Every structure is written in C-alpha cells, then in structure tokens.
Amino acid sequence: MKYVIAPSILSADFTQLGSEIKQTEDNGAAFLHFDVMDGMFVPNISFGIPVMKSIRKATRQIMDAHLMVQDPIRYVEAFRDAGADLITVHYEACPDVAKVLVKIKDMGLRAGLSINPDTPVEAVREYLRLWI
C-alpha cells in the first residue's frame, strides 16, 4: 500500500502561508489538502476558490479540495478552474452522489467520497465504482 501525506493548509500560519506551503513541498508532500467549509454543512467557515486559485500559482503539488459544503455540485467546476486536481465531497451533503462523482470524473479530476462517522460504510459501497 502506498501512503500519501496531504498536509491541510487549514493548519498553516496564514501570515506565513507561502513559506509553509513551500516547506511541505520541500519535505516531500505531494498533496496539499484544502478543507473548504461553508458554515452550513459544517458549522465552520474556512476559505474557498480565490485562495486555491492564488496557491495554485505557487506550487506544483496536487491540490486536494475537500468540499465540506452543502450541495457541492454547485462548486466543482469553479474548484477545477481554480486548480483542484482532486475533489472530495461528503455523501451526506449530496442530493445525488452519483451525479456529483460522475461530474468530477468527467471533468478529468480525481474524485473522493467522505462519510460522516455515523454513516454506515455500506451506505456508500455502491458508489465505489464511480471513483476508483
């Protein structure tokens, strides 16, 4: 099994964001993880498309957009355009999970599916074929 380290920029010191991203890259992290929160699906609000777009110019790392937002299909094209290589959505936030995963894959991106701790894995088993 190959392991991938994907540091989350949410834990960075935003006054030193450029140097902290460079430090992750210099130390072998192939991915950068973006925890995108809308204040609706999860109670917190983080950052969005403009932040990813500006960071895309500063790194060659794989940009992993974890959309913890309600009805994420509304944003997948904008995150692709901002530089995302991988978009992960939450099963519980999608009225039609298959439609979202297929759209992400059809745009040429990698797709990921997250579930909340109280969601049984069996609930998402049928979607595995859409993102593997």
Side-chain angles (χ1 to χ4, degrees), residues 52-98:
M52 178 174 274
K53 188 173 184 178
S54 66
I55 291 172
R56 173 77 286 165
K57 299 173 194 171
T59 185
R60 293 182 313 270
Q61 290 168 290
I62 295 168
M63 307 276 268
D64 170 15
H66 179 190
L67 304 185
M68 292 178 274
V69 302
Q70 198 63 43
D71 201 15
I73 198 166
R74 300 175 295 154
Y75 301 106
V76 295
E77 288 179 19
F79 274 96
R80 176 208 52 205
D81 295 346
D85 300 293
L86 162 65
I87 297 177
T88 300
V89 297
H90 274 266
Y91 170 78
E92 301 85 0
C94 301
D96 186 344
V97 177

Side-chain angles (χ1 to χ4, degrees), residues 6-7 19 30-31 40 49-50 54 57 67 69 76-77 79 81 91 98 105 109 112 118 122 125-126:
S19 64
F31 284 60
M40 293 169 33
I49 296 154
S54 66
K57 299 173 194 171
L67 304 185
V69 302
V76 295
E77 288 179 19
F79 274 96
D81 295 346
Y91 170 78
K105 297 285 281 190
L109 303 179
D118 58 344
E122 293 76 29
R125 195 172 307 277
E126 69 180 277

